[in-house]
Amino acid sequence: MSHPDATTAHTPLARVAALALALVALVGVLVLAFSWPTVTIDPKDVAVAITGPESAVAAASEAIDEKADGAVALETVADRDAAVQAIEQRDVYGAVILGEKPEVLVASGGGLAVAQLLTGVAASLQEGVNAQAQAAAAAAGAPAPDTIVVAVTDVVPLAETDARGTGIATAMFPLVLGGMIGGIAVSIVVIGALRRVFAVVVYGAAGGLLLAWILGGWFGSLQGDYWADAAAIGLTLIAIAAPITGLVALIGRAGIAFGPVVMLLFANPLSAAAVPKEFLLAPWGEVGQWFPPGAAATLLRDLSYFPEADATFPWLVLGAWAVGGLLLSVVGHFRTAGGAEPDAEAAVAA
């Protein structure tokens, strides 16, 4: 048996060091992307309705503003019914009802974080109301009044099948990952821009039907109509996958990077799936709603708990991303005169 005289070349140390540093930088970006929204949570201007006698509203508003330190933005409404309607339409997250029977309305279906915030407001309100009543009684020389209890009423409670309210939030990451995997797989396996369009549409439709059944019928995380949930999930998968396949049709394999960079590292942490968008550092909570992960989280929550809310915006956002991505594939198809994309040989080799 013959042995080669030449020894196997080793990787240069400079390249090894550069690779190690690049991997460290990648890990740093991942940690930053997924941890930053959590460590910077600071609720600001959370919309809350308030109603009652004018003098009581003015006094309570001043006390709440001082206690909440900008976390709550109070909006005056006519009465309790108007407050409930505003909550159900997702115009506000809760309400403070003043008068003979003070009450705080919460909506845990919109997020436990705000419900807990308003429960704290109720405790402060109760303390203030009783202090005022006792002071008034003392000034009039009357006996100490009975303790006034500020009731906390959950007008949009969580479903029994998702009592901790984590179902929609935990479903978003797999949904985003599923959209990315679909887009990347179709880009690698399927040759031909229009065939990729067909594959993405079929993937979204079938995925929506399956995942709506798993998340709604099996896990009980979704409470909306099955077909509406399926349509929302299917459109979300297409909205995430289509831009990937579309960019691949235009610029080749480099377009695959769009999914991990934009959808996973940027849009997903800003989706406000676990907490309201007002809890994220401004203006990133609002920015996140313009991307598929944020729009999908809002839409699925609306379908599950707020059927009276106007869900036009998240539907339009998902539709725009889906149509835009599919149009990119069509443009790529005509750019290459109807033939296979420039990366066709790479796809065949793969």
Side-chain angles (χ1 to χ4, degrees):
M1 180 180 293
S2 59
H3 297 277
D5 296 332
T7 59
T8 303
H10 292 83
T11 304
L13 288 177
R15 186 179 300 176
V16 172
L19 175 61
L21 293 176
L23 292 175
V24 169
L26 176 60
V27 173
V29 170
L30 289 172
V31 172
L32 178 62
F34 286 94
S35 300
W36 175 81
T38 301
V39 300
T40 58
I41 281 180
D42 185 21
K44 291 294 182 183
D45 297 327
V46 177
V48 175
I50 187 170
T51 185
E54 186 175 347
S55 58
V57 168
S61 297
E62 183 178 352
I64 291 174
D65 287 340
E66 181 180 353
K67 190 74 174 180
D69 192 23
V72 174
L74 295 172
E75 301 179 9
T76 304
V77 296
D79 51 29
R80 187 183 188 278
D81 291 339
V84 172
Q85 183 179 25
I87 293 173
E88 291 176 343
Q89 294 177 348
R90 296 203 81 179
D91 295 328
V92 297
Y93 287 95
V96 176
I97 313 299
L98 302 174
E100 294 182 1
K101 296 181 178 180
E103 183 183 14
V104 170
L105 307 181
V106 301
S108 57
L112 286 176
V114 178
Q116 293 169 352
L117 173 65
L118 291 178
T119 300
V121 169
S124 300
L125 180 63
Q126 178 170 305
E127 181 181 346
V129 168
N130 282 289
Q132 290 179 357
Q134 291 174 2
D146 295 334
T147 300
I148 299 173
V149 177
V150 177
V152 177
T153 305
D154 196 343
V155 295
V156 185
L158 288 164
E160 293 181 0
T161 52
D162 187 22
R164 293 182 297 174
T166 58
I168 294 176
T170 55
M172 286 313 303
F173 182 76
L175 192 57
V176 173
L177 196 61
M180 283 176 42
I181 292 174
I184 294 172
V186 169
S187 298
I188 293 175
V189 175
V190 179
I191 300 175
L194 296 185
R195 286 175 171 79
R196 288 174 178 164
V197 168
F198 177 75
V200 167
V201 171
V202 172
Y203 174 70
L209 294 173
L210 176 62
L211 295 181
W213 174 77
I214 292 176
L215 295 174
W218 188 359
F219 292 164
S221 300
L222 303 180
Q223 311 303 319
D225 176 74
Y226 168 77
W227 295 105
D229 289 339
I233 293 174
L235 188 58
T236 300
L237 293 175
I238 296 174
I240 296 173
I244 299 174
T245 59
L247 286 174
V248 169
L250 283 178
I251 64 176
R253 288 299 182 84
I256 290 177
F258 178 85
V261 174
V262 175
M263 296 297 180
L264 188 63
L265 296 182
F266 179 76
N268 188 65
L270 302 179
S271 65
V275 295
K277 61 182 184 293
E278 289 83 0
F279 278 56
L280 300 182
L281 189 66
W284 297 111
E286 291 290 347
V287 170
Q289 298 302 300
W290 288 84
F291 290 82
T298 298
L299 179 56
L300 290 174
R301 194 170 297 278
D302 284 350
L303 294 174
S304 288
Y305 294 106
F306 300 92
E308 295 185 18
D310 184 4
T312 302
F313 180 73
W315 279 116
L316 288 177
V317 169
L318 293 175
W321 279 91
V323 172
L326 296 177
L327 285 178
L328 286 178
S329 290
V330 174
V331 171
H333 169 77
F334 286 107
R335 185 179 65 83
T336 55
E341 286 78 19
D343 63 329
E345 292 81 3
V348 172

